[in-house]
Amino acid sequence: MIYSIKLALKSLWFEKWIHMLTVVTIGVGLFVLGLIFFSLYNIEGITSRLPERFSVTVFLSAGTGNREINQLRVRLREDPIVKRIKYISKEAALVELRTSLKDAAYILEGLDENPLLPSIEIRLKENGFDKKKVEGLINRLKSLRDVDDVVYGENLLGTIYTIRNAVKTISAGVILLFSMAIIFVCYSTVKILFYRRKEEIEIFKLLGATKGFIRLPFLIEGGTLGFLGGLLGGAGTYVLYRFINGTVISDFPILGVMHMPLGLVAALPAGGAILGIIGSTIALGRLKF
Amino acid sequence: MIGFKDVTRIYDNMTALRKVNFGIGKGEFVYITGPSGAGKSTLLKLIYLAEKPDEGTISIAGWETDTLRESAIPYLRRNIGVVFQDFKLLVNRTVYDNIALALRIRGFGETEIKGRVQDALKLVGLRHKNDNFPAALSGGEQQRITIARAIVGEPTVLLADEPTGNLDVDNAAGIMKIFKEINAKGTTILIATHNRELFRNTGLRVLWFDNGNLVADKEG
Ligand SMILES: Nc1ncnc2c1ncn2[C@@H]1O[C@H](COP(=O)(O)OP(=O)(O)OP(=O)(O)O)[C@@H](O)[C@H]1O
Ligand SMILES: [Mg+2]
């Protein structure tokens, strides 16, 4: 084991130029991956906070009795995607309207009867935020006898849904593509190293080396290349984030909501090492005695 | 220790060995001789499993080529020290590292390796060449390094392919003396050579090959 590490380090040093190139290539690849994860993380963050602002208002028919209202409230509370509900009686609605009108409240003066409808405001759970489920709930509500109308942000619902799905699909594709590219870079580097040391490996075999003994230095090498690439990519991602946070943010305050998960920076070297080992394993293939 | 039963090895359409039968006991000192192309190197390669027989069975130290699993090959090879005809030294490593490699492959610790490598170098009389690279050594010295690497792991069988090929008479005698010392400790030794001077009047066993056939098995 120690000897394998020594062999790997020696080879890493001996072939430092080709390795530098590999590390930079992997670094760039992982940098892009880092950016994708970074964007994904933030888009997830933003869209997962959107459902809080999304509400469904159920207007009840004018003559609905207290018993029916209470029944409906119980039913809604038990619904798996409902977070909380708020009942607004028609009196409360009028008070609210008055306050929001402020100085213009006099336009309500002439009314001798409250024209407003009682309503129930529904807030949804974040994890239950699924277009089909939400629409299912709304359709069920609309079909009820006591329900006059259901008002909700149809566009918002659709937009959140589309953004989330598109982002997930595209990211998955790009992540897969870049992971494969990184594996390929490690694969070809290790393949070259392997062929350069072919003669040496033949001698190793004749002296009684196991396949593991022959493979290990190459796996360590590939893993180290991936790891170093990951450090580079992680550093790049972090620097870019600091730059955005420091300079760009003063011009575009919107970006202030962005966060950089430190776990991501740490995960890049680990991810790089894993991709490197995968690439090396494929490069070595099946050894024969 | 080593048994050949109806062993045939054919390269493309060239028969290098034809229905060869013989047995070698533990601790024996045996020469293999014959003209160039007789099949001497092929025979040794079959023993250290660099080649597979096309027909017949070879048994080595209790293993049989018929039933040998590929994963067992490295462990079997560790019982066999080989002095290759072309040395097979690693050019980018020092004498010390070349010999130590045989032990590192076996998983020895560095302290143990140091002692053993020094002992092996002492036996071949090249202790002062520790830090030299193979290219800085004469042919005879390289040959002795190869011997040191072959014996450092204390194999039960030592195979040598033309071990005196590059040597003058004095050096050749020196190397034969080393082999005798190793043999005296119980190691089975097989030496392939076309130099009949090596075994003339030694009384040792000689297997004579010609054109892939074992033609004689007698004392030298
Ligand atoms: N890899 C190979 N491919 C094809 N033919 C081979 C191969 N190795 C050996 N041969 C042939 O097999 C025959 C036996 O070769 P081998 O090397 O065993 O002879 P040898 O007795 O060791 O000869 P020398 O004294 O010249 O070393 C020769 O005719 C050789 O040409
Ligand atoms: Mg030969």
Side-chain angles (χ1 to χ4, degrees):
Chain A
M1 180 71 192
I2 294 167
Y3 184 63
S4 299
I5 294 171
K6 262 192 211 159
L7 277 186
L9 290 181
K10 213 171 138 189
S11 164
L12 281 169
W13 179 247
F14 192 72
E15 312 268 4
K16 50 188 170 299
W17 297 114
I18 163 174
H19 283 152
M20 216 110 93
L21 200 70
T22 310
V23 167
V24 170
T25 315
I26 295 170
V28 171
L30 284 170
F31 174 66
V32 174
L33 274 186
L35 287 186
I36 293 167
F37 279 119
F38 174 57
S39 319
L40 204 61
Y41 178 83
N42 283 295
I43 290 170
E44 265 299 304
I46 293 164
T47 53
S48 71
R49 264 176 274 124
L50 284 178
E52 288 172 20
R53 301 186 193 168
F54 180 83
S55 67
V56 178
T57 308
V58 184
F59 289 101
L60 303 168
S61 311
T64 313
N66 278 338
R67 219 168 65 90
E68 283 77 24
I69 291 170
N70 280 334
Q71 265 175 8
L72 185 59
R73 284 170 75 171
V74 170
R75 257 181 75 179
L76 282 173
R77 274 211 192 88
E78 282 166 358
D79 195 288
I81 64 166
V82 172
K83 189 176 181 184
R84 59 192 153 80
I85 59 170
K86 190 176 157 198
Y87 173 69
I88 302 162
S89 63
K90 58 181 192 175
E91 292 76 24
L94 190 62
V95 172
E96 205 175 294
L97 186 60
R98 278 224 171 83
T99 26
S100 61
L101 286 174
K102 284 183 198 153
D103 297 340
Y106 62 86
I107 59 167
L108 299 174
E109 291 297 310
L111 295 172
D112 41 358
E113 202 181 320
N114 185 346
L116 299 177
L117 293 173
S119 62
I120 298 175
E121 196 182 270
I122 304 170
R123 296 279 174 166
L124 297 172
K125 280 184 190 159
E126 284 161 36
N127 55 6
F129 202 74
D130 177 305
K131 193 179 180 187
K132 282 211 181 68
K133 283 187 195 161
V134 176
E135 280 174 348
L137 173 69
I138 286 160
N139 287 334
R140 259 181 287 131
L141 289 170
K142 274 183 177 166
S143 67
L144 292 176
R145 189 166 41 85
D146 297 323
V147 172
D148 185 76
D149 197 7
V150 180
V151 176
Y152 67 105
E154 272 172 289
N155 288 337
L156 184 60
L157 177 65
T159 310
I160 295 170
Y161 191 76
T162 317
I163 290 177
R164 275 191 153 187
N165 272 336
V167 165
K168 272 184 192 156
T169 315
I170 294 169
S171 303
V174 178
I175 288 166
L176 195 72
L177 200 72
F178 271 82
S179 299
M180 276 172 23
I182 291 166
I183 289 174
F184 182 75
V185 170
C186 288
Y187 163 88
S188 26
T189 306
V190 170
K191 198 95 187 167
I192 291 169
L193 295 175
F194 186 73
Y195 277 112
R196 279 203 192 166
R197 301 210 317 241
K198 195 126 188 110
E199 221 168 303
E200 193 177 314
I201 288 162
E202 285 311 312
I203 296 172
F204 275 41
K205 286 182 191 169
L206 290 176
L207 295 180
T210 55
K211 290 180 186 181
F213 185 90
I214 293 167
R215 277 206 180 101
L216 196 56
F218 289 102
L219 297 186
I220 294 173
E221 245 178 293
T224 308
L225 291 175
F227 180 80
L228 293 176
L231 283 184
L232 200 68
T237 319
Y238 188 70
V239 166
L240 183 78
Y241 168 69
R242 295 308 300 234
F243 173 71
I244 290 174
N245 235 3
T247 320
V248 185
I249 233 157
S250 51
D251 300 327
F252 302 96
I254 293 176
L255 296 175
V257 296
M258 292 209 303
H259 285 285
M260 172 63 110
L262 276 178
L264 170 67
V265 181
L268 282 181
I274 291 168
L275 294 177
I277 290 170
I278 293 173
S280 321
T281 309
I282 300 171
L284 295 178
R286 239 184 72 77
L287 296 176
K288 281 213 64 87
F289 282 113
Chain B
M1 199 73 212
I2 297 168
F4 272 53
K5 197 165 165 286
D6 290 330
V7 174
T8 297
R9 176 72 183 116
I10 304 167
Y11 294 111
D12 307 320
N13 44 23
M14 165 81 218
T15 307
L17 287 176
R18 191 177 292 107
K19 291 224 173 277
V20 173
N21 286 283
F22 67 86
I24 293 175
K26 188 163 165 44
E28 266 197 89
F29 196 121
V30 180
Y31 283 98
I32 295 154
T33 196
S36 184
K40 305 183 293 291
S41 297
T42 303
L43 185 127
L44 296 185
K45 283 177 189 163
L46 285 166
I47 298 174
Y48 64 81
L49 304 164
E51 300 279 355
K52 275 200 200 106
D54 294 298
E55 282 168 36
T57 317
I58 303 170
S59 59
I60 312 146
W63 309 66
E64 294 233 328
T65 48
D66 285 358
T67 51
L68 187 69
R69 296 224 318 278
E70 206 196 55
S71 57
I73 291 177
Y75 302 98
L76 179 48
R77 280 183 181 155
R78 291 177 195 179
N79 291 315
I80 305 169
V82 186
V83 181
F84 301 97
Q85 195 164 7
D86 57 351
F87 310 150
K88 297 197 192 296
L89 292 170
L90 299 171
V91 292
N92 55 1
R93 273 173 232 225
T94 62
V95 164
Y96 179 90
D97 279 335
N98 263 285
I99 301 170
L101 181 64
L103 298 175
R104 287 177 176 141
I105 280 172
R106 289 168 165 84
F108 280 85
E110 288 299 322
T111 345
E112 169 107 37
I113 289 175
K114 200 167 216 164
R116 285 194 179 217
V117 172
Q118 294 312 335
D119 289 348
L121 276 172
K122 196 170 150 197
L123 191 68
V124 299
L126 287 173
R127 271 190 91 154
H128 54 294
K129 297 289 185 184
N130 242 324
D131 299 325
N132 285 75
F133 285 89
L137 302 176
S138 73
E141 286 168 337
Q142 289 184 32
Q143 200 130 33
R144 283 189 277 164
I145 298 305
T146 313
I147 293 170
R149 185 182 63 185
I151 61 168
V152 75
E154 297 181 344
T156 49
V157 179
L158 183 70
L159 309 177
D161 200 348
E162 299 292 356
T164 58
N166 302 290
L167 303 181
D168 58 62
V169 180
D170 285 347
N171 263 309
I175 284 196
M176 295 321 295
K177 196 168 149 274
I178 295 167
F179 284 145
K180 299 231 163 82
E181 281 174 36
I182 298 162
N183 180 239
K185 290 183 199 157
T187 309
T188 310
I189 296 189
L190 258 84
I191 297 173
T193 183
H194 49 229
N195 181 2
R196 294 176 194 186
E197 294 305 320
L198 289 184
F199 52 79
R200 196 191 300 276
N201 298 324
T202 56
L204 293 167
R205 186 178 171 195
V206 183
L207 300 177
W208 292 77
F209 283 82
D210 190 13
N211 201 15
N213 297 303
L214 175 59
V215 291
D217 182 348
K218 59 185 184 188
E219 284 182 9

